[in-house]
Amino acid sequence: MTLTDNAPDQGAVARPATFDSLNPRTGDVAGTYPVHGEADVRAAVARAREASAWWGSLSFDEREDRLTTWKGVVTRRIAQLADVMHQETGKPHGDAMLECALAIDHLAWAAKHAGKVLKRHKVPSGLVMANQKATVEYRPLGVIGVIGPWNYPVFTPMGSIAYALAAGNAVVFKPSEYTPGVGVWLADTFHEVIDQPVLQVVTGLGDTGAALCRAGVDKIAFTGSTGTGKKVMAAAAESLTPVLIEAGGKDALIVDEDADLDAAVDGALWGACANAGQTCAGVERVYVHERVYDEFLSKVVAAAQEIDATDDPQAKIGPITMPGQLDIIRRHIDDAITKGGRALVGGPEAVGERFVQPTILVDVPQDSSAWTEETFGPTMTVAKVKDMDEAVALTNDSRYALGSAVFSKSRGMKIAERLRVGMTSINGVITFAGVPSLPFGGIGDSGFGRIHGPDGLKEFTYAHAIARQRMKPLLALTTFKRTEKAEQQLGKMITMLHGRGSTLPK
Ligand code: NDP
């Protein structure tokens, strides 16, 4: 299927203008795609609505079969998908392969577990309603609009797409203008397996995303900046369309005095610099126990000096995908230095025209943007803490609250449980994202709602509760024929069931 075939039918609509997706490593054109307008997006949603009736009527097993076939196609062509991603984002091939592999694993999990999590099941009806059989089922919402980012253009949107499809919805996907080819590739391979517009792609700039928010979908799943997330939510509010917002973070990594320092250094560096730091749950802040601070710093500085960002396709760090991001990274580093911070590695000169070299900042005042705003570059800001109480307090003192990491041999779980964030990895970084049964998402400015796991399946459904009378009630309560005796018996029963805990503890 060609790119043009994949474009929604234009019908009477004038052929839209096109835009180029550029290779950030070289500046070359990686592909040219249509800018879909309001009418195109509405037409795609109308087609999805029809397809959702068929897709939603299939059994979980039938959907699992089809999604498993698609998974096989994606898996067999993983190198091709990774290459499209490499061209559009500049990320190293190995990183692109890892991202595809994780997305495939999530697709497999969602397809396999949807029935178990969502199909009608019995729940306890309680003593008062003992004559009722209570069941609940999670039904597909219908059509889900997915607005995706460019930093993980397969893994992140697939966290919504795979789970929404497995739950029985049709999807209209608007990829970032920096990675349209990846979105088209996913939809094309899907269409090879399923000959219905159950997964469609609309391409374009921000306006195409805005049009999707107004196109009458049943839910919007958005990943991107907090600012755009607010615009998406405001647009969706007009039609009371629910939204799922995954809006980035300022994740902290905590190093306790008993941590395996080599592992902590490795985790901090990879968490901060992998994907050139363009990771919503990447490490941006590091808090280290004072007893191991100096040793951690000397090790992390030595390790950071070993890696650099270059245009070599085998480089460990690729370019910054979105040119505008270079200014943000430069501003955060400059702000840290101006306010008295020091760069032990990198610094202002680390920000080039396409690439940013690893940068480690210390002695940075807490009000600096290097601590407070999402940098989205290969930088980490490190501070010494006197104990883990201080590390926990500083970690929690952020308007973002997405992921986090703790390195400690004996107290990892205790520290993790005190963190006010959506996710934590202990003695590892971002490991939670690869576990399909764990929910992924944040709170505060990091957004709300969850992808992945049972929560991620339920996110794209509505609950349908049924109470079926199995026998006549012992106490007839929901009738105008209710007697005084029945009311008295209810009073006794409620006192017996719940009265004991009602006195205040002395
Ligand atoms: P945006 O939030 O602008 O874009 C995210 C997605 O939303 C893209 O598909 C974008 O389309 C689309 N979009 C833009 N405007 C609208 C709108 N009004 N209505 C609906 N959809 C819209 O992120 P950027 O790509 O500009 O990145 C900016 C910052 O966001 C980065 O500096 C980074 O801090 C953060 N970010 C966080 C991510 C995360 O994973 N949490 C991912 C990406 C960015 P288009 O690309 O065509 O404009």
Side-chain angles (χ1 to χ4, degrees), residues 19 146-152 156 173-179 203-214 220 222-229 231-232 235 246-249 278-281 284 322 324-325 328 373-376 400 402 440 446:
F19 70 105
V146 175
I147 299 177
W150 42 265
N151 57 339
Y152 289 92
T156 302
F173 172 35
K174 151 69 177 83
S176 163
E177 67 196 64
Y178 297 98
T179 53
T203 54
L205 315 184
D207 282 350
T208 306
L212 186 55
C213 297
R214 296 189 300 264
I220 293 279
F222 167 84
T223 307
S225 62
T226 305
T228 308
K231 284 189 202 162
V232 165
E246 208 280 84
Q278 305 163 113
T279 304
C280 54
E284 299 215 356
M322 190 174 75
Q325 196 66 32
I328 298 174
E373 288 176 37
E374 186 175 43
T375 305
F376 239 53
Y400 293 104
L402 188 61
F440 185 103
S446 293

Short mmCIF file of all heavy atoms in Angstrom, two decimals, residues 19 146-152 156 173-179 203-214 220 222-229 231-232 235 246-249 278-281 284 322 324-325 328 373-376 400 402 440 446, ligand 1:
data_model
loop_
_atom_site.label_atom_id
_atom_site.label_comp_id
_atom_site.label_asym_id
_atom_site.label_seq_id
_atom_site.Cartn_x
_atom_site.Cartn_y
_atom_site.Cartn_z
N PHE A 19 3.79 18.25 3.40
CA PHE A 19 4.91 18.70 4.23
C PHE A 19 6.00 17.64 4.19
O PHE A 19 5.72 16.47 3.90
CB PHE A 19 4.47 19.00 5.67
CG PHE A 19 4.11 17.77 6.46
CD1 PHE A 19 4.95 17.26 7.43
CD2 PHE A 19 2.89 17.12 6.23
CE1 PHE A 19 4.60 16.13 8.16
CE2 PHE A 19 2.54 15.99 6.95
CZ PHE A 19 3.39 15.50 7.92
N VAL A 146 -5.62 9.09 18.57
CA VAL A 146 -4.30 9.03 19.22
C VAL A 146 -3.41 10.11 18.62
O VAL A 146 -3.22 10.15 17.40
CB VAL A 146 -3.66 7.63 19.06
CG1 VAL A 146 -2.24 7.62 19.64
CG2 VAL A 146 -4.52 6.57 19.73
N ILE A 147 -2.90 11.01 19.45
CA ILE A 147 -1.98 12.06 18.99
C ILE A 147 -0.61 11.73 19.57
O ILE A 147 -0.44 11.69 20.79
CB ILE A 147 -2.46 13.45 19.46
CG1 ILE A 147 -3.85 13.74 18.87
CG2 ILE A 147 -1.46 14.53 19.04
CD1 ILE A 147 -4.46 15.05 19.31
N GLY A 148 0.34 11.47 18.69
CA GLY A 148 1.61 10.92 19.16
C GLY A 148 2.77 11.90 19.10
O GLY A 148 2.71 12.89 18.40
N PRO A 149 3.84 11.57 19.82
CA PRO A 149 5.03 12.41 19.83
C PRO A 149 6.09 11.86 18.87
O PRO A 149 5.92 10.80 18.27
CB PRO A 149 5.51 12.26 21.26
CG PRO A 149 5.22 10.83 21.58
CD PRO A 149 4.00 10.46 20.80
N TRP A 150 7.20 12.58 18.77
CA TRP A 150 8.26 12.19 17.85
C TRP A 150 9.40 11.46 18.56
O TRP A 150 10.24 10.84 17.91
CB TRP A 150 8.85 13.46 17.18
CG TRP A 150 9.02 14.59 18.16
CD1 TRP A 150 8.12 15.60 18.38
CD2 TRP A 150 10.10 14.82 19.05
NE1 TRP A 150 8.58 16.44 19.37
CE2 TRP A 150 9.80 15.98 19.80
CE3 TRP A 150 11.31 14.16 19.31
CZ2 TRP A 150 10.65 16.50 20.78
CZ3 TRP A 150 12.16 14.67 20.29
CH2 TRP A 150 11.82 15.83 21.01
N ASN A 151 9.47 11.56 19.88
CA ASN A 151 10.65 11.03 20.57
C ASN A 151 10.70 9.51 20.61
O ASN A 151 11.74 8.90 20.44
CB ASN A 151 10.77 11.64 21.97
CG ASN A 151 9.55 11.40 22.82
OD1 ASN A 151 8.47 11.13 22.32
ND2 ASN A 151 9.71 11.49 24.12
N TYR A 152 9.54 8.88 20.86
CA TYR A 152 9.41 7.41 20.75
C TYR A 152 8.20 7.17 19.86
O TYR A 152 7.12 6.82 20.34
CB TYR A 152 9.24 6.77 22.14
CG TYR A 152 10.51 6.82 22.94
CD1 TYR A 152 10.76 7.88 23.80
CD2 TYR A 152 11.48 5.83 22.81
CE1 TYR A 152 11.95 7.96 24.51
CE2 TYR A 152 12.66 5.89 23.51
CZ TYR A 152 12.89 6.96 24.37
OH TYR A 152 14.07 7.02 25.08
N THR A 156 5.57 4.86 22.14
CA THR A 156 4.60 5.67 22.89
C THR A 156 3.19 5.60 22.30
O THR A 156 2.26 5.23 23.02
CB THR A 156 5.10 7.12 23.00
OG1 THR A 156 6.36 7.10 23.64
CG2 THR A 156 4.16 7.97 23.80
N PHE A 173 -4.99 7.76 14.07
CA PHE A 173 -3.71 8.14 14.67
C PHE A 173 -3.12 9.33 13.92
O PHE A 173 -2.95 9.30 12.70
CB PHE A 173 -2.78 6.92 14.60
CG PHE A 173 -1.35 7.17 14.99
CD1 PHE A 173 -1.02 8.07 15.99
CD2 PHE A 173 -0.32 6.46 14.37
CE1 PHE A 173 0.32 8.29 16.36
CE2 PHE A 173 1.00 6.67 14.72
CZ PHE A 173 1.32 7.59 15.71
N LYS A 174 -2.79 10.38 14.69
CA LYS A 174 -2.08 11.54 14.13
C LYS A 174 -0.66 11.52 14.70
O LYS A 174 -0.43 11.89 15.85
CB LYS A 174 -2.82 12.82 14.53
CG LYS A 174 -1.99 14.08 14.68
CD LYS A 174 -1.43 14.62 13.38
CE LYS A 174 -0.68 15.92 13.64
NZ LYS A 174 0.69 15.71 14.09
N PRO A 175 0.31 11.07 13.89
CA PRO A 175 1.70 11.08 14.38
C PRO A 175 2.25 12.50 14.38
O PRO A 175 1.70 13.39 13.72
CB PRO A 175 2.44 10.21 13.37
CG PRO A 175 1.60 10.20 12.14
CD PRO A 175 0.20 10.57 12.51
N SER A 176 3.34 12.71 15.08
CA SER A 176 4.00 14.02 15.08
C SER A 176 4.44 14.37 13.66
O SER A 176 4.76 13.48 12.86
CB SER A 176 5.22 13.97 16.00
OG SER A 176 6.08 15.06 15.72
N GLU A 177 4.49 15.65 13.37
CA GLU A 177 4.93 16.08 12.03
C GLU A 177 6.38 15.68 11.77
O GLU A 177 6.83 15.68 10.62
CB GLU A 177 4.76 17.59 11.89
CG GLU A 177 5.69 18.40 12.77
CD GLU A 177 5.26 19.86 12.90
OE1 GLU A 177 4.16 20.09 13.44
OE2 GLU A 177 6.01 20.74 12.46
N TYR A 178 7.14 15.34 12.83
CA TYR A 178 8.53 14.91 12.65
C TYR A 178 8.64 13.43 12.32
O TYR A 178 9.69 12.97 11.87
CB TYR A 178 9.35 15.23 13.91
CG TYR A 178 9.43 16.71 14.17
CD1 TYR A 178 8.57 17.32 15.08
CD2 TYR A 178 10.31 17.51 13.45
CE1 TYR A 178 8.61 18.69 15.28
CE2 TYR A 178 10.35 18.87 13.65
CZ TYR A 178 9.50 19.46 14.55
OH TYR A 178 9.53 20.81 14.73
N THR A 179 7.56 12.67 12.58
CA THR A 179 7.64 11.21 12.37
C THR A 179 6.39 10.65 11.66
O THR A 179 5.86 9.62 12.09
CB THR A 179 7.84 10.48 13.72
OG1 THR A 179 6.79 10.91 14.62
CG2 THR A 179 9.18 10.75 14.32
N THR A 203 -2.08 12.64 8.60
CA THR A 203 -0.80 13.31 8.77
C THR A 203 -0.99 14.82 8.64
O THR A 203 -1.97 15.29 8.07
CB THR A 203 0.22 12.83 7.72
OG1 THR A 203 -0.35 12.98 6.42
CG2 THR A 203 0.60 11.39 7.96
N GLY A 204 -0.04 15.55 9.20
CA GLY A 204 -0.10 17.01 9.12
C GLY A 204 0.61 17.63 10.30
O GLY A 204 1.38 16.97 11.00
N LEU A 205 0.33 18.91 10.52
CA LEU A 205 0.98 19.65 11.61
C LEU A 205 0.02 19.71 12.81
O LEU A 205 -0.92 18.93 12.90
CB LEU A 205 1.36 21.04 11.11
CG LEU A 205 2.03 21.10 9.71
CD1 LEU A 205 2.46 22.52 9.39
CD2 LEU A 205 3.22 20.16 9.63
N GLY A 206 0.27 20.68 13.70
CA GLY A 206 -0.56 20.77 14.91
C GLY A 206 -2.05 20.92 14.59
O GLY A 206 -2.90 20.38 15.32
N ASP A 207 -2.37 21.62 13.50
CA ASP A 207 -3.78 21.84 13.16
C ASP A 207 -4.52 20.53 12.89
O ASP A 207 -5.72 20.43 13.14
CB ASP A 207 -3.89 22.73 11.91
CG ASP A 207 -3.65 24.20 12.26
OD1 ASP A 207 -3.59 24.50 13.47
OD2 ASP A 207 -3.51 25.01 11.33
N THR A 208 -3.80 19.57 12.34
CA THR A 208 -4.43 18.26 12.07
C THR A 208 -4.77 17.58 13.40
O THR A 208 -5.85 16.99 13.55
CB THR A 208 -3.49 17.37 11.22
OG1 THR A 208 -3.12 18.10 10.05
CG2 THR A 208 -4.16 16.08 10.82
N GLY A 209 -3.87 17.72 14.37
CA GLY A 209 -4.14 17.18 15.71
C GLY A 209 -5.34 17.88 16.33
O GLY A 209 -6.22 17.26 16.93
N ALA A 210 -5.38 19.22 16.17
CA ALA A 210 -6.49 20.00 16.73
C ALA A 210 -7.80 19.57 16.07
O ALA A 210 -8.84 19.46 16.75
CB ALA A 210 -6.22 21.49 16.51
N ALA A 211 -7.75 19.30 14.75
CA ALA A 211 -8.97 18.86 14.04
C ALA A 211 -9.43 17.51 14.59
O ALA A 211 -10.64 17.28 14.74
CB ALA A 211 -8.70 18.77 12.55
N LEU A 212 -8.49 16.64 14.93
CA LEU A 212 -8.86 15.32 15.48
C LEU A 212 -9.58 15.48 16.82
O LEU A 212 -10.51 14.73 17.13
CB LEU A 212 -7.59 14.45 15.61
CG LEU A 212 -7.79 13.00 16.03
CD1 LEU A 212 -8.76 12.26 15.12
CD2 LEU A 212 -6.45 12.26 16.06
N CYS A 213 -9.17 16.48 17.60
CA CYS A 213 -9.82 16.72 18.90
C CYS A 213 -11.29 17.14 18.73
O CYS A 213 -12.09 16.97 19.63
CB CYS A 213 -9.10 17.82 19.68
SG CYS A 213 -7.41 17.41 20.10
N ARG A 214 -11.59 17.75 17.57
CA ARG A 214 -12.95 18.26 17.35
C ARG A 214 -13.77 17.35 16.44
O ARG A 214 -14.87 17.72 16.02
CB ARG A 214 -12.89 19.65 16.69
CG ARG A 214 -12.24 20.74 17.54
CD ARG A 214 -12.43 22.09 16.87
NE ARG A 214 -11.82 22.13 15.55
CZ ARG A 214 -10.59 22.59 15.28
NH1 ARG A 214 -9.87 23.08 16.26
NH2 ARG A 214 -10.10 22.57 14.06
N ILE A 220 -9.58 10.95 23.39
CA ILE A 220 -8.31 11.37 22.81
C ILE A 220 -7.20 10.85 23.73
O ILE A 220 -7.25 11.07 24.94
CB ILE A 220 -8.20 12.91 22.75
CG1 ILE A 220 -9.21 13.51 21.77
CG2 ILE A 220 -6.78 13.35 22.41
CD1 ILE A 220 -8.79 13.47 20.32
N PHE A 222 -3.37 11.52 24.18
CA PHE A 222 -2.37 12.50 23.74
C PHE A 222 -1.04 12.27 24.46
O PHE A 222 -1.01 12.07 25.68
CB PHE A 222 -2.87 13.92 24.04
CG PHE A 222 -1.80 14.97 23.91
CD1 PHE A 222 -1.49 15.51 22.67
CD2 PHE A 222 -1.10 15.40 25.03
CE1 PHE A 222 -0.48 16.46 22.55
CE2 PHE A 222 -0.10 16.36 24.92
CZ PHE A 222 0.22 16.89 23.68
N THR A 223 0.05 12.34 23.71
CA THR A 223 1.38 12.37 24.33
C THR A 223 2.14 13.55 23.75
O THR A 223 2.22 13.70 22.52
CB THR A 223 2.19 11.10 24.05
OG1 THR A 223 1.42 9.98 24.44
CG2 THR A 223 3.50 11.09 24.85
N GLY A 224 2.70 14.39 24.59
CA GLY A 224 3.46 15.55 24.13
C GLY A 224 3.69 16.50 25.28
O GLY A 224 3.77 16.07 26.43
N SER A 225 3.75 17.78 24.99
CA SER A 225 4.07 18.76 26.04
C SER A 225 2.84 19.07 26.89
O SER A 225 1.69 18.91 26.44
CB SER A 225 4.59 20.04 25.40
OG SER A 225 3.58 20.59 24.58
N THR A 226 3.09 19.54 28.11
CA THR A 226 1.99 19.91 29.01
C THR A 226 1.15 21.02 28.38
O THR A 226 -0.08 21.01 28.47
CB THR A 226 2.56 20.37 30.37
OG1 THR A 226 3.40 19.33 30.86
CG2 THR A 226 1.47 20.65 31.38
N GLY A 227 1.81 21.98 27.73
CA GLY A 227 1.09 23.11 27.13
C GLY A 227 0.11 22.64 26.06
O GLY A 227 -1.06 23.05 26.07
N THR A 228 0.56 21.78 25.16
CA THR A 228 -0.35 21.28 24.12
C THR A 228 -1.41 20.38 24.74
O THR A 228 -2.57 20.39 24.31
CB THR A 228 0.43 20.52 23.02
OG1 THR A 228 1.49 21.37 22.56
CG2 THR A 228 -0.44 20.18 21.85
N GLY A 229 -1.03 19.65 25.78
CA GLY A 229 -2.00 18.81 26.49
C GLY A 229 -3.17 19.63 27.00
O GLY A 229 -4.33 19.20 26.92
N LYS A 231 -4.26 22.43 25.68
CA LYS A 231 -5.07 22.83 24.51
C LYS A 231 -5.96 21.67 24.07
O LYS A 231 -7.13 21.85 23.73
CB LYS A 231 -4.15 23.20 23.34
CG LYS A 231 -3.49 24.55 23.48
CD LYS A 231 -2.80 24.88 22.15
CE LYS A 231 -1.70 25.89 22.37
NZ LYS A 231 -0.75 25.95 21.29
N VAL A 232 -5.41 20.47 24.08
CA VAL A 232 -6.17 19.27 23.69
C VAL A 232 -7.35 19.09 24.63
O VAL A 232 -8.49 18.85 24.22
CB VAL A 232 -5.25 18.03 23.70
CG1 VAL A 232 -6.04 16.73 23.67
CG2 VAL A 232 -4.27 18.08 22.53
N ALA A 235 -10.06 21.72 24.00
CA ALA A 235 -10.85 21.43 22.80
C ALA A 235 -11.80 20.26 23.07
O ALA A 235 -12.96 20.28 22.67
CB ALA A 235 -9.92 21.11 21.63
N GLU A 246 -0.42 12.21 28.46
CA GLU A 246 0.92 11.76 28.88
C GLU A 246 1.85 12.89 28.50
O GLU A 246 2.18 13.07 27.33
CB GLU A 246 1.25 10.47 28.14
CG GLU A 246 2.20 9.56 28.90
CD GLU A 246 3.64 10.02 28.78
OE1 GLU A 246 4.03 10.92 29.58
OE2 GLU A 246 4.35 9.52 27.92
N ALA A 247 2.24 13.70 29.51
CA ALA A 247 2.85 14.99 29.18
C ALA A 247 4.26 15.21 29.70
O ALA A 247 4.64 16.32 30.00
CB ALA A 247 1.94 16.11 29.66
N GLY A 248 5.02 14.17 29.79
CA GLY A 248 6.43 14.39 30.10
C GLY A 248 6.74 14.54 31.57
O GLY A 248 5.84 14.50 32.42
N GLY A 249 8.02 14.71 31.88
CA GLY A 249 8.40 14.73 33.28
C GLY A 249 9.73 15.39 33.54
O GLY A 249 10.35 15.98 32.65
N GLN A 278 15.86 12.71 24.97
CA GLN A 278 14.49 13.07 24.57
C GLN A 278 13.52 11.98 25.01
O GLN A 278 12.91 11.29 24.20
CB GLN A 278 14.44 13.28 23.06
CG GLN A 278 15.47 14.30 22.58
CD GLN A 278 15.73 14.21 21.09
OE1 GLN A 278 15.38 15.12 20.36
NE2 GLN A 278 16.31 13.13 20.62
N THR A 279 13.44 11.80 26.32
CA THR A 279 12.63 10.73 26.90
C THR A 279 11.76 11.31 27.99
O THR A 279 12.28 11.95 28.92
CB THR A 279 13.55 9.63 27.49
OG1 THR A 279 14.43 9.17 26.48
CG2 THR A 279 12.75 8.47 28.04
N CYS A 280 10.44 11.09 27.89
CA CYS A 280 9.55 11.69 28.90
C CYS A 280 9.91 11.18 30.29
O CYS A 280 9.86 11.94 31.25
CB CYS A 280 8.09 11.42 28.57
SG CYS A 280 7.70 9.69 28.33
N ALA A 281 10.28 9.91 30.40
CA ALA A 281 10.64 9.35 31.70
C ALA A 281 12.16 9.23 31.83
O ALA A 281 12.67 8.35 32.53
CB ALA A 281 9.96 8.00 31.90
N GLU A 284 16.55 13.34 34.66
CA GLU A 284 16.99 14.74 34.52
C GLU A 284 17.60 15.26 35.82
O GLU A 284 18.41 16.17 35.80
CB GLU A 284 15.82 15.62 34.08
CG GLU A 284 15.24 15.19 32.72
CD GLU A 284 14.75 16.35 31.87
OE1 GLU A 284 14.77 17.50 32.34
OE2 GLU A 284 14.35 16.09 30.71
N MET A 322 13.99 17.56 17.11
CA MET A 322 13.22 18.78 16.82
C MET A 322 14.16 19.99 16.97
O MET A 322 14.62 20.27 18.08
CB MET A 322 12.08 18.87 17.84
CG MET A 322 11.06 19.93 17.53
SD MET A 322 9.67 19.84 18.67
CE MET A 322 10.37 20.52 20.15
N GLY A 324 13.90 23.11 17.31
CA GLY A 324 13.53 24.10 18.34
C GLY A 324 13.96 23.69 19.74
O GLY A 324 14.10 24.53 20.64
N GLN A 325 14.20 22.37 19.92
CA GLN A 325 14.57 21.88 21.25
C GLN A 325 15.96 22.35 21.65
O GLN A 325 16.27 22.48 22.84
CB GLN A 325 14.51 20.34 21.22
CG GLN A 325 14.50 19.69 22.57
CD GLN A 325 13.24 20.01 23.33
OE1 GLN A 325 12.18 20.18 22.73
NE2 GLN A 325 13.35 20.12 24.64
N ILE A 328 15.91 25.30 23.89
CA ILE A 328 15.46 25.01 25.26
C ILE A 328 16.62 24.43 26.07
O ILE A 328 16.88 24.83 27.21
CB ILE A 328 14.26 24.03 25.24
CG1 ILE A 328 13.08 24.67 24.51
CG2 ILE A 328 13.87 23.61 26.66
CD1 ILE A 328 11.89 23.75 24.28
N GLU A 373 12.28 22.60 34.93
CA GLU A 373 11.57 22.43 33.65
C GLU A 373 12.08 21.21 32.91
O GLU A 373 13.25 20.84 33.05
CB GLU A 373 11.77 23.66 32.76
CG GLU A 373 11.02 24.89 33.23
CD GLU A 373 11.34 26.10 32.35
OE1 GLU A 373 11.51 25.93 31.13
OE2 GLU A 373 11.43 27.19 32.91
N GLU A 374 11.23 20.63 32.06
CA GLU A 374 11.65 19.48 31.27
C GLU A 374 12.68 19.94 30.22
O GLU A 374 12.37 20.79 29.39
CB GLU A 374 10.44 18.85 30.57
CG GLU A 374 10.77 17.56 29.85
CD GLU A 374 9.54 16.87 29.27
OE1 GLU A 374 8.68 17.56 28.69
OE2 GLU A 374 9.45 15.63 29.37
N THR A 375 13.90 19.40 30.29
CA THR A 375 14.97 19.84 29.38
C THR A 375 14.92 19.09 28.05
O THR A 375 15.09 19.66 26.99
CB THR A 375 16.35 19.65 30.04
OG1 THR A 375 16.36 20.32 31.31
CG2 THR A 375 17.46 20.21 29.17
N PHE A 376 14.68 17.79 28.12
CA PHE A 376 14.59 16.95 26.92
C PHE A 376 15.90 16.99 26.12
O PHE A 376 15.90 17.09 24.89
CB PHE A 376 13.42 17.41 26.04
CG PHE A 376 12.40 16.31 25.81
CD1 PHE A 376 11.85 15.63 26.87
CD2 PHE A 376 11.98 15.98 24.53
CE1 PHE A 376 10.91 14.62 26.67
CE2 PHE A 376 11.05 14.97 24.30
CZ PHE A 376 10.51 14.31 25.38
N TYR A 400 6.03 18.20 37.94
CA TYR A 400 5.93 16.96 37.17
C TYR A 400 5.99 15.78 38.13
O TYR A 400 6.60 15.87 39.20
CB TYR A 400 7.09 16.82 36.20
CG TYR A 400 7.10 17.85 35.09
CD1 TYR A 400 7.98 18.91 35.11
CD2 TYR A 400 6.23 17.73 34.02
CE1 TYR A 400 8.01 19.85 34.08
CE2 TYR A 400 6.24 18.66 32.99
CZ TYR A 400 7.13 19.71 33.02
OH TYR A 400 7.14 20.62 32.01
N LEU A 402 6.21 11.89 36.89
CA LEU A 402 6.02 10.76 35.97
C LEU A 402 6.76 9.53 36.52
O LEU A 402 6.21 8.78 37.29
CB LEU A 402 6.51 11.16 34.56
CG LEU A 402 6.21 10.18 33.43
CD1 LEU A 402 4.72 9.97 33.24
CD2 LEU A 402 6.83 10.64 32.12
N PHE A 440 1.44 2.73 32.92
CA PHE A 440 2.41 3.78 32.63
C PHE A 440 1.66 5.12 32.59
O PHE A 440 0.69 5.27 31.86
CB PHE A 440 3.07 3.52 31.28
CG PHE A 440 4.18 4.48 30.92
CD1 PHE A 440 5.50 4.11 31.02
CD2 PHE A 440 3.89 5.76 30.47
CE1 PHE A 440 6.53 4.99 30.69
CE2 PHE A 440 4.90 6.65 30.14
CZ PHE A 440 6.22 6.27 30.25
N SER A 446 2.53 16.03 34.63
CA SER A 446 2.86 14.89 33.78
C SER A 446 1.60 14.27 33.17
O SER A 446 1.71 13.36 32.35
CB SER A 446 3.61 13.81 34.57
OG SER A 446 4.89 14.30 34.93
P1 NDP B 1 3.73 19.07 21.23
O1 NDP B 1 3.05 18.89 22.52
O2 NDP B 1 3.60 20.35 20.53
O3 NDP B 1 3.25 17.94 20.18
C1 NDP B 1 2.80 16.64 20.52
C2 NDP B 1 1.76 16.20 19.50
O4 NDP B 1 0.63 17.07 19.53
C3 NDP B 1 2.26 16.24 18.06
O5 NDP B 1 1.70 15.19 17.31
C4 NDP B 1 1.73 17.58 17.59
O6 NDP B 1 1.63 17.66 16.21
C5 NDP B 1 0.36 17.60 18.23
N1 NDP B 1 -0.22 18.92 18.36
C6 NDP B 1 0.38 20.13 18.32
N2 NDP B 1 -0.53 21.12 18.53
C7 NDP B 1 -1.71 20.52 18.71
C8 NDP B 1 -3.03 21.00 19.00
N3 NDP B 1 -3.31 22.29 19.13
N4 NDP B 1 -4.03 20.09 19.14
C9 NDP B 1 -3.77 18.78 19.03
N5 NDP B 1 -2.55 18.27 18.75
C10 NDP B 1 -1.53 19.13 18.61
O7 NDP B 1 5.20 18.70 21.45
P2 NDP B 1 6.45 19.14 20.60
O8 NDP B 1 6.65 18.07 19.63
O9 NDP B 1 6.37 20.53 20.07
O10 NDP B 1 7.54 19.16 21.76
C11 NDP B 1 7.56 20.23 22.69
C12 NDP B 1 7.94 19.76 24.06
O11 NDP B 1 7.08 18.73 24.50
C13 NDP B 1 9.32 19.16 24.13
O12 NDP B 1 10.20 20.19 24.40
C14 NDP B 1 9.22 18.19 25.27
O13 NDP B 1 9.54 18.84 26.46
C15 NDP B 1 7.77 17.82 25.30
N6 NDP B 1 7.49 16.50 24.74
C16 NDP B 1 7.20 15.50 25.60
C17 NDP B 1 6.96 14.24 25.11
C18 NDP B 1 6.67 13.11 26.01
O14 NDP B 1 6.94 11.98 25.68
N7 NDP B 1 6.08 13.36 27.13
C19 NDP B 1 7.00 13.93 23.69
C20 NDP B 1 7.26 15.07 22.86
C21 NDP B 1 7.50 16.30 23.40
P3 NDP B 1 2.86 18.30 15.39
O15 NDP B 1 4.09 17.53 15.76
O16 NDP B 1 2.47 18.06 14.01
O17 NDP B 1 2.93 19.75 15.80
#
